[in-house]
Amino acid sequence: SQTIHQWPATLVQPVGSPLSLECTVEGTSNPNLYWYRQAAGRGLQLLFYSVGIGQISSEVPQNLSASRPQDRQFILSSKKLLLSDSGFYLCAWSAQAVPNSPLHFGNGTRLTVT
Amino acid sequence: QKEVEQDPGPLSVPEGAIVSLNCTYSNSAFQYFMWYRQYSRKGPELLMYTYSSGNKEDGRFTAQVDKSSKYISLFIRDSQPSDSATYLCAFSTQKLVFGQGTRLTINP
């Protein structure tokens, strides 16, 4: 069966510090990968998605970037965090071979920028 | 008009009650319909996935889709305290669109 791992679960970082959140998927090959941010009362916001190694699409301009160095690894980064980067970050995957397949989420990272 | 409308609640019901959660949508191109359950401080978990009008049942959960009215519902029978969570509807065509989520509490 497929599993998705996301870490760390919680993170407190000062303004201006760098960020690296990692997500890995097991049990499937060539998945679509996604980074979402969830803010209270604002629902799920798609940040980045990837259909393959090195292929990243950005949905919104922001202080964050994403990379996919391996087929089942997705990384969310920032060089300098802003207070507004605080939130709940979720990684997700879907089966690329199945059109309109549902997303499966990790358990998220709660980021607090102080 | 928003693409997806979902009552944010909160909704509080006694244990054993039948719960009805609803979403409306405006995009006729949506072909696939999903419900996710999200416990506090966890990621959303896929509950139901369907692409046709009508009902789909899975244990105590029933997903209902009415494409003509652009309306989907999730029914929970014999609700349990463990059903307390936020429920998100989601719609798919070429991309996935989520509702805002309804926070549900089942009181013992």
Side-chain angles (χ1 to χ4, degrees):
Chain A
S1 65
Q2 301 89 1
T3 56
I4 179 168
H5 302 281
Q6 197 179 336
W7 66 93
T10 60
L11 190 60
V12 180
Q13 292 282 98
V15 168
S17 64
L19 173 73
S20 181
L21 302 181
E22 190 164 339
C23 170
T24 59
V25 180
E26 296 178 357
T28 187
S29 296
N30 199 27
N32 292 326
L33 295 172
Y34 308 82
W35 279 110
Y36 281 84
R37 178 166 56 202
Q38 188 175 37
R42 295 182 61 185
L44 284 159
Q45 180 187 30
L46 178 62
L47 302 176
F48 301 96
Y49 70 93
S50 171
V51 299
I53 295 173
Q55 301 178 62
I56 309 295
S57 295
S58 174
E59 288 292 303
V60 292
Q62 58 207 320
N63 186 42
L64 302 169
S65 62
S67 62
R68 184 170 177 174
Q70 300 181 43
D71 181 47
R72 289 170 288 177
Q73 184 184 28
F74 206 23
I75 297 172
L76 183 69
S77 303
S78 174
K79 291 182 179 178
K80 288 185 178 181
L81 283 168
L82 306 172
L83 284 174
S84 57
D85 292 323
S86 294
F88 191 45
Y89 289 84
L90 290 157
C91 181
W93 74 273
S94 67
Q96 187 166 148
V98 181
N100 291 296
S101 64
L103 267 62
H104 303 275
F105 288 87
N107 275 326
T109 295
R110 186 161 302 279
L111 172 66
T112 302
V113 182
T114 61
Chain B
Q1 183 183 10
K2 283 187 178 180
E3 206 168 21
V4 174
E5 302 255 17
Q6 181 176 12
D7 187 341
L11 182 62
S12 181
V13 302
E15 183 176 356
I18 296 175
V19 177
S20 172
L21 304 168
N22 310 297
C23 287
T24 58
Y25 63 97
S26 60
N27 189 345
S28 299
F30 287 148
Q31 298 176 348
Y32 295 83
F33 309 91
M34 287 147 275
W35 284 96
Y36 285 83
R37 176 177 63 195
Q38 185 174 21
Y39 292 116
S40 180
R41 300 182 180 275
K42 298 291 186 183
E45 168 194 14
L46 180 67
L47 267 182
M48 302 290 278
Y49 175 70
T50 184
Y51 57 88
S52 57
S53 281
N55 293 349
K56 180 178 180 179
E57 193 172 314
D58 184 0
R60 296 185 295 109
F61 297 90
T62 299
Q64 184 178 79
V65 174
D66 183 344
K67 289 186 179 181
S68 61
S69 300
K70 296 189 179 68
Y71 186 91
I72 70 170
S73 297
L74 178 71
F75 298 97
I76 307 174
R77 293 187 303 278
D78 187 24
S79 56
Q80 305 293 313
S82 59
D83 296 326
S84 298
T86 296
Y87 290 80
L88 301 105
C89 56
F91 302 81
S92 177
T93 171
Q94 292 184 342
K95 66 173 186 176
L96 201 59
V97 179
F98 287 90
Q100 295 284 323
T102 299
R103 182 177 295 181
L104 172 67
T105 300
I106 309 298
N107 300 303

